[in-house]
Amino acid sequence: MCLGIPAEVKEVKGHIAVVDFGDGVLREIDVGALEDLKPGDLVIVHAGVAIEKIDEERAKEMIQVIEEFISDLERKAEEIEKLLGLEKTE
């Protein structure tokens, strides 16, 4: 399974852009496949490479799906821990 994550472009330096995935930590990615990117643009990032420019509505939809996916994984992990008699170590 491949997973693309939406990110906001903060700075563009040639084929490299600095982006924020929404956690406030800035990361550099390759944007060589896309043209005319500027700060404020939203992109889908896969494996450190921007693969598509998207609009705000699509980014919100993707974030909602990702959050639901993570929530479902956490719920399933708790079920497995209970089934196996494991306690959380938080």
Side-chain angles (χ1 to χ4, degrees):
M1 178 172 92
C2 297
L3 183 62
I5 307 292
E8 180 182 356
V9 175
K10 295 295 187 181
E11 182 180 359
V12 179
K13 302 179 279 186
H15 290 277
I16 301 295
V18 176
V19 299
D20 182 353
F21 287 95
D23 59 1
V25 178
L26 302 180
R27 296 173 178 89
E28 289 188 343
I29 64 166
D30 185 327
V31 293
L34 302 178
E35 296 180 2
D36 301 325
L37 282 180
K38 60 187 180 308
D41 285 343
L42 300 170
V43 294
I44 296 174
V45 181
H46 173 68
V49 178
I51 58 174
E52 183 179 351
K53 191 173 170 180
I54 59 175
D55 62 22
E56 187 174 339
E57 182 177 336
R58 181 144 184 240
K60 286 180 180 177
E61 290 171 0
M62 290 183 71
I63 290 168
Q64 181 178 357
V65 168
I66 292 168
E67 288 175 345
E68 290 172 4
F69 178 71
I70 290 170
S71 178
D72 190 46
L73 286 177
E74 290 173 341
R75 184 182 49 77
K76 288 181 180 181
E78 288 177 9
E79 289 174 6
I80 291 170
E81 288 172 352
K82 287 180 184 175
L83 183 67
L84 297 175
L86 302 173
E87 293 184 30
K88 281 190 162 188
T89 58
E90 290 183 47

